[in-house]
């Protein structure tokens, strides 16, 4: 029988939005430690979830024309499923492969809307960066000289890249807590993204440190033929859940200790 995804959590604070807490930059290390702890609690199931997650994203991406859009829209749904898996472990319940798909059973519509906002945000970021970069290129062209055109081309590419990077960071911060807020607090999608953005910027130090650490971990995970990604995905899911509990939640960041039971 399929395990219910903790329905009590979804209605507990649905009447009002949670207020983010301020944490120190050092908490980012605690979140990553918690992410690793969630992984080692059931590594076999987590690796299976990672494999299915990667295969699903790859297969969806192969869909002609709309594949990339389907991936972006479905991404928060699967992230929410992994968050619910972490929540199960935090409550002392077993992790199951089906947790990856539990986002389809809990607020699937709202999670898909988060994905739609993710898609639209990416398109807007790309459009704005092209417009800004094209404006710089046009300025160089109007100056007339080849040197001016060359400088305009370089400055256009650089400026467009900078603008895109800034907008993309804003989008990622708006998405970070969105899925947990939707599935664990019943927060409407747009409100969840606003709360996520506010929480990340009110704890900017912690998220700068976390961003740097994740960037390093991504490169480390790619060293053994990319196999480290199978571990990194669940670690990041646990890190996301731990950061949510630290900033918004009312449960411990780390899962309960495992106690040996006599056979």
């Amino acid at each position: 029988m399929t395990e219910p995804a903790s329905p009590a959590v979804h209605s507990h604070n649905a009447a009002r939005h949670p207020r983010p807490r301020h944490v120190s930059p050092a908490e980012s290390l605690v979140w990553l430690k918690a992410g690793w702890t969630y992984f080692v609690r059931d590594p076999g199931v987590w690796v299976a979830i990672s494999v299915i997650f990667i295969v699903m994203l790859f297969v969806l991406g192969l869909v002609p024309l709309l594949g990339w859009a389907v991936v972006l829209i479905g991404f928060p749904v699967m992230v929410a499923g992994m968050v619910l898996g972490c929540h199960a472990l935090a409550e002392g319940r077993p992790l199951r492969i089906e947790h990856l798909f539990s986002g389809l059973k809990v607020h699937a519509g709202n999670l898909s809307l988060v994905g739609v906002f993710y898609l639209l945000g990416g398109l807007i970021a790309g459009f704005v960066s092209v417009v800004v970069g094209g404006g710089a290129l046009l300025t160089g062209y109007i100056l007339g000289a080849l040197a001016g055109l060359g400088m305009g081309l370089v400055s256009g590419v650089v400026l467009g890249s900078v603008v895109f990077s800034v907008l993309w960071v804003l989008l990622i911060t708006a998405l970070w807590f969105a899925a947990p807020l939707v599935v664990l607090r019943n927060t409407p999608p747009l409100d969840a993204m606003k709360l996520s953005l506010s929480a990340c910027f009110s704890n900017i130090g912690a998220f700068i440190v976390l961003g740097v650490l994740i960037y390093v971990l991504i490169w480390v995970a790619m060293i053994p033929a990319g196999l480290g990604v199978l571990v990194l995905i669940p670690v990041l899911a646990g890190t996301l859940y731990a950061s949510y509990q630290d900033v918004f939640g009312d449960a411990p960041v780390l899962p309960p200790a495992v106690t040996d039971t006599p056979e």
Side-chain angles (χ1 to χ4, degrees), residues 240-257:
L240 168 59
Y241 179 76
S243 65
Y244 162 79
Q245 289 295 0
D246 204 6
V247 176
F248 286 106
D250 49 14
V253 171
L254 291 169

Side-chain angles (χ1 to χ4, degrees), residues 12-261:
H12 179 61
N13 280 325
R16 61 183 178 85
H17 296 325
R19 300 182 65 179
R21 289 186 287 267
H22 180 72
V23 299
S24 70
E27 286 299 294
S28 58
L29 296 173
V30 177
W31 301 339
L32 281 170
K33 176 185 176 182
W36 175 255
T37 303
Y38 281 109
F39 170 71
V40 298
R41 188 59 54 87
D42 201 338
V45 175
W46 275 124
V47 168
I49 287 174
S50 294
V51 171
I52 296 171
F53 176 72
I54 293 171
V55 170
M56 286 185 64
L57 291 182
F58 177 76
V59 171
L60 289 173
L62 294 178
V63 177
L65 299 178
L66 297 178
W68 60 277
V70 175
V71 167
L72 294 182
I73 294 172
F75 185 78
V77 179
M78 288 187 281
V79 169
M82 287 187 278
V83 166
L84 289 172
C86 292
H87 189 64
L89 289 174
E91 291 187 334
R93 295 182 285 118
L95 175 70
R96 303 183 188 280
I97 294 178
E98 305 93 85
H99 274 115
L100 179 62
F101 309 103
S102 56
L104 294 172
K105 303 174 184 177
V106 183
H107 300 300
N110 283 345
L111 290 168
S112 297
L113 276 177
V114 171
V116 170
F117 290 136
Y118 182 21
L119 170 62
L120 293 177
L123 291 174
I124 291 172
F127 177 76
V128 171
S129 64
V130 168
V131 170
V132 172
L137 175 59
L138 181 60
T139 300
Y141 179 77
I142 291 174
L143 291 177
L146 290 176
L149 179 59
M151 288 300 296
L153 178 60
V154 173
S155 63
V157 172
V158 172
L159 184 58
S161 299
V162 170
V163 170
F164 181 81
S165 297
V166 171
L167 293 176
W168 193 257
V169 168
L170 290 174
L171 182 60
I172 294 301
T173 55
L175 285 168
W176 181 257
F177 289 120
L181 285 168
V182 169
V183 295
L184 299 178
R185 289 298 185 100
N186 196 22
T187 308
L190 195 55
D191 291 340
M193 295 181 76
K194 290 178 181 176
L195 278 170
S196 179
L197 189 65
S198 172
C200 289
F201 275 90
S202 64
N203 293 288
I204 189 67
F207 282 96
I208 287 176
V209 175
L210 182 64
V212 171
L213 292 173
I214 290 176
Y215 179 79
V216 173
L217 288 175
I218 289 173
W219 281 103
V220 172
M222 297 303 294
I223 293 175
L227 295 177
V229 174
L230 299 179
V231 175
L232 182 60
I233 289 173
V235 168
L236 291 182
T239 300
L240 168 59
Y241 179 76
S243 65
Y244 162 79
Q245 289 295 0
D246 204 6
V247 176
F248 286 106
D250 49 14
V253 171
L254 291 169
V258 176
T259 55
D260 295 328
T261 55

